[in-house]
Amino acid sequence: MASGKQTPRQKMINLMYLIFIAMLALNMSKEVLAAFGLMNEKFEASNSKATESNNAFLASLETKAEEDAAKYAELYQDAQKIKQLSQEYFTYLEELKDFMTKDIEDPTDYQVMDKSDYLDQKFFQGDNLAPEGKEFMKRINDYRTSVIAILGDDFPEVKETVETRFKTGDENGKVERRDGVKVDWINYNYEGFPLIASLTKLTALQSDIKATEEAALKSMLQGELTSQVSLTNFSTMLDTERNAFYSGEKFEGSIVLGKTDKSAKPVKAELTLDGRKLSEGKDYQLKEGGVELLIGAGSPGDHQIAGTLIYMQDGQETEVPVKNGFSTIPRPNAAVISADKMNVVYRGVANPMTISMPGVPDNKVSASAPGLSKRAGSNYIMNPGKGREVTINVTGTIDGKSFPSKQTFRIKDIPRPSGAIRGETGSVKMPKKNLEISTISAVLEDFDFDLNLAVSGFKIKVPGQPTVSVNGNKLDARAKSALRRAGRGDAVQIFDIEAYISNNKSYKLKKVSPVIIEVTN
C-alpha cells in the first residue's frame, strides 16, 4: 500500500477489503463448527476419566501417609493443596462455559455456535480488558504460580510442564501473530473466535488442569516409593489351593506375608486354631515367607487362626499379628446353578450362565440342556428354543462318585423395542435440520442385555402430508421434502420401524413403538 495521504477512493477500497475479510471470517464452515464440538466432547470425556484416576492417586498417597507419616505426610498435604487449587480453577472455567451456552436451546447443536459476541463483550472493552477479562488472566496466572510454588525444587519436570501449559505469552504477556504484530495473549486466543471454538479452548484448559494434577500426584507418590517397606505395615493372608474343604480331609495351605518375600522367614510363631494352641513341628512349621500349616480341615463350619508371627528386624524382634479364617463344608449333594443376568433366560439372546458345584473342579462338572453350550470352566451359554421352560441337568463327580442335580428356568421373549432418535424415545423436540440428518434407531429400555439392534426401514408422517415409507435408518429425499412443509410445533411421527438383531436376523422382534418429534422451528 502506498505511503502518504490516502484519497477518498483509496479509503473506500480499504474499507471494502476489511468488510470482505470480516465476512469470510464470519462465514465459517458448519463442518468446522461441528468438528470443534466433537473435539470438545472428547475433552469432556477425557476430563471425566482423569478425575477418577487422580482421585485414586490421591487415595494411594493418603494411604502411604497413614503408613509412613515421616515420608509422605508433607507430600500428601501438598497434594491436597494442588487438588484444591485445581478444583477451584476447574469449577471457575466450568461456570464460565455454562454461562456461554445458557441461551442455546440444544447444547449439542454446534453449527449454531458461530458467534463471538459473548467473550468479546465479557472480556474486552475497546482496546482494554473488561473486569471479567482481568479476572480470567488473574485466575490462570495465579494457578500457575501457586502450583509451581507448592512443587518447589523437588519436581523440576512437572514445574517445567506447568510453565509451558499455562504460559500467557512473553514477559509482557504478548504473542506474535503470523503478520509479525505482537498482541495480548488473551486477545490472540479468545477475541473474535466462534463460540464453540472458545468453548473447546476452555475445555482443553480444563484438560491441562487435570493433566497437571495427575503429573504432580504421580511424581509425589512414585518419588518416595521404596522396595524395602517396614514389616509393621504388612498383614498376613491365607495361601491355599482352594477356599473350602470337606470334613475329614487334611488341610493344605500356608499363612504367608502379603508381600510373599521368600527371604522373610519368621524366627518363631505363637498360633491358635479356634482357641486351641498349635505346636511347631506337629501343627505347623516355619518356612521362608511365612508358616506352613499341617493341621486337618476339621468339622464343617468356619475356623479361625490367630496369634503372632515374630520376625527379626534390625536386630530386634518385630511382631506381626495373625488373624485369618477358612471354612470347611460338607460334601455336596446338589449343584449351584445361576443365570448371570437374571432368573430367566431369553429367547433370541445368548444368555451367559455359571454352572458349578461347591468343591468340585470345573472339569468334573457336566451340564446338558437344549440350547446349552460350554465356553470355558464354569461358563456356559444358553440359547433357548421353543417352549416356555428349559431344564438344565448337572452331574458332578467326586472321588469316582456322581452327584446329579437339575434346575428349571423360564423362557421369555425379548421385550418390545422402542423407537429412538438421537438415543431419545417417546416424545422428542428438535429443529427440522437436526431431524433431517438424524439416525432412526430402536432400543430395548431397561433390558439387561446389550443387543445390537439395527433399523432397515420406517414410515414418517408429517401433519398435512402423505405418509412416506423410507428404506434404511435415515430420511431420504421424499421424507425430507415432506418434512420441510412442517411448521413450528407440528408433531412428526416415526412409526412402523423395522428393526432386527444384527447378529440374529432370524429372530423376529416385537413391533417397535413409535417416536414423536415436535418441530421447534
Side-chain angles (χ1 to χ4, degrees):
M1 184 182 295
S3 60
K5 186 176 181 180
Q6 295 181 341
T7 65
R9 180 177 180 277
Q10 184 63 50
K11 291 181 178 179
M12 180 61 70
I13 291 175
N14 292 344
L15 181 59
M16 293 296 293
Y17 177 77
L18 291 174
I19 293 174
F20 176 71
I21 293 299
M23 290 176 65
L24 286 178
L26 290 174
N27 191 27
M28 176 169 283
S29 167
K30 299 298 184 182
E31 288 77 12
V32 174
L33 295 174
F36 270 112
L38 294 176
M39 187 182 302
N40 185 66
E41 291 179 3
K42 290 184 179 294
F43 276 128
E44 293 279 7
S46 176
N47 290 343
S48 179
K49 292 182 179 179
T51 299
E52 297 177 1
S53 176
N54 291 345
N55 289 339
F57 276 116
L58 189 63
S60 297
L61 195 57
E62 181 181 11
T63 301
K64 289 295 180 184
E66 293 174 353
E67 293 177 348
D68 193 344
K71 290 182 179 180
Y72 292 97
E74 186 175 352
L75 286 174
Y76 178 58
Q77 292 176 1
D78 289 342
Q80 286 181 305
K81 293 177 183 177
I82 292 178
K83 176 72 174 179
Q84 182 178 357
L85 287 169
S86 299
Q87 185 59 51
E88 291 174 355
Y89 188 26
F90 188 98
T91 301
Y92 163 75
L93 294 175
E94 191 66 21
E95 292 174 352
L96 180 59
K97 287 164 56 180
D98 290 341
F99 278 110
M100 291 169 66
T101 58
K102 69 177 182 178
D103 294 328
I104 297 176
E105 182 178 352
D106 183 2
T108 63
D109 190 4
Y110 306 119
Q111 297 185 7
V112 302
M113 303 183 190
D114 56 351
K115 301 296 187 296
S116 63
D117 299 345
Y118 184 86
L119 288 188
D120 287 353
Q121 296 174 9
K122 187 175 183 65
F123 282 176
F124 309 102
Q125 287 181 348
D127 295 333
N128 300 317
L129 284 181
E132 291 84 358
K134 294 178 181 178
E135 174 67 13
F136 183 83
M137 292 300 298
K138 182 179 183 301
R139 289 274 186 168
I140 189 171
N141 289 326
D142 286 353
Y143 179 77
R144 181 186 66 246
T145 303
S146 300
V147 171
I148 289 176
I150 293 172
L151 292 172
D153 297 326
D154 296 329
F155 308 99
E157 293 183 0
V158 182
K159 285 180 59 177
E160 183 179 355
T161 303
V162 173
E163 283 278 10
T164 302
R165 283 182 179 142
F166 302 98
K167 185 176 182 181
T168 54
D170 58 20
E171 62 275 5
N172 298 317
K174 300 288 185 179
V175 178
E176 184 174 338
R177 297 189 317 210
R178 294 180 61 185
D179 58 5
V181 177
K182 287 191 174 183
V183 298
D184 289 338
W185 178 87
I186 189 172
N187 296 80
Y188 182 84
N189 283 278
Y190 294 96
E191 187 177 23
F193 284 87
L195 177 63
I196 185 59
S198 296
L199 194 69
T200 303
K201 283 189 175 184
L202 293 180
T203 307
L205 198 55
Q206 289 178 312
S207 179
D208 287 338
I209 294 172
K210 292 298 180 182
T212 297
E213 185 181 346
E214 179 185 29
L217 292 172
K218 278 186 176 180
S219 298
M220 290 176 176
L221 181 60
Q222 296 174 356
E224 290 293 336
L225 287 178
T226 174
S227 60
Q228 298 299 324
V229 184
S230 172
L231 289 173
T232 58
N233 295 327
F234 275 69
S235 61
T236 59
M237 65 180 183
L238 197 61
D239 183 20
T240 62
E241 294 183 0
R242 48 196 170 115
N243 295 325
F245 297 84
Y246 297 118
S247 178
E249 281 189 314
K250 180 181 178 181
F251 180 86
E252 297 177 357
S254 305
I255 294 178
V256 298
L257 284 175
K259 188 182 178 184
T260 64
D261 187 349
K262 298 300 182 182
S263 63
K265 182 179 180 179
V267 293
K268 60 181 178 179
E270 297 175 356
L271 302 172
T272 62
L273 172 61
D274 298 333
R276 177 180 65 86
K277 186 176 180 179
L278 300 181
S279 302
E280 183 178 356
K282 177 183 177 182
D283 300 313
Y284 68 87
Q285 63 183 20
L286 305 178
K287 71 171 188 177
E288 292 182 351
V291 172
E292 180 181 356
L293 297 174
L294 307 174
I295 58 176
S299 59
D302 296 330
H303 301 279
Q304 189 75 31
I305 299 175
T308 304
L309 298 184
I310 294 92
Y311 291 84
M312 291 299 298
Q313 183 181 17
D314 298 330
Q316 295 182 349
E317 291 186 352
T318 301
E319 295 183 352
V320 178
V322 176
K323 189 175 182 180
N324 299 92
F326 66 93
S327 299
T328 301
I329 61 175
R331 295 182 182 273
N333 55 16
V336 177
I337 306 174
S338 64
D340 288 350
K341 290 282 185 178
M342 60 204 75
N343 61 351
V344 298
V345 290
Y346 283 89
R347 202 185 334 270
V349 173
N351 298 263
M353 305 188 74
T354 299
I355 302 177
S356 64
M357 276 189 174
V360 181
D362 293 332
N363 60 357
K364 298 294 184 180
V365 176
S366 61
S368 62
L372 183 69
S373 60
K374 187 172 183 176
R375 301 181 73 181
S378 61
N379 297 322
Y380 290 73
I381 289 294
M382 167 62 75
N383 287 287
K386 297 179 180 180
R388 307 310 300 176
E389 291 183 344
V390 60
T391 299
I392 300 177
N393 295 290
V394 181
T395 301
T397 303
I398 304 173
D399 298 332
K401 297 181 179 180
S402 297
F403 300 89
S405 183
K406 64 181 179 178
Q407 188 165 335
T408 300
F409 287 81
R410 292 179 298 134
I411 301 175
K412 296 181 67 175
D413 292 321
I414 296 173
R416 180 183 182 184
S418 298
I421 185 165
R422 293 189 315 191
E424 299 179 70
T425 61
S427 180
V428 182
K429 292 182 179 181
M430 69 169 59
K432 286 190 289 187
K433 287 187 178 180
N434 287 20
L435 177 55
E436 285 185 2
I437 62 175
S438 294
T439 300
I440 309 302
S441 60
V443 296
L444 290 166
E445 296 178 286
D446 298 325
F447 190 55
D448 292 311
F449 292 86
D450 186 15
L451 299 184
N452 187 12
L453 302 186
V455 170
S456 60
F458 59 92
K459 292 179 181 178
I460 178 170
K461 173 63 177 176
V462 177
Q465 303 297 319
T467 299
V468 178
S469 296
V470 179
N471 290 323
N473 58 6
K474 288 189 176 183
L475 273 67
D476 58 17
R478 291 177 58 237
K480 291 179 181 179
S481 176
L483 178 62
R484 293 188 185 104
R485 295 182 176 88
R488 182 184 180 89
D490 281 349
V492 178
Q493 300 182 48
I494 305 293
F495 62 103
D496 283 355
I497 300 172
E498 300 172 4
Y500 60 91
I501 305 174
S502 297
N503 59 353
N504 190 4
K505 294 183 179 180
S506 61
Y507 183 84
K508 185 173 179 60
L509 292 167
K510 294 181 179 179
K511 186 175 181 180
V512 181
S513 61
V515 59
I516 309 298
I517 301 96
E518 181 181 337
V519 177
T520 59
N521 63 357

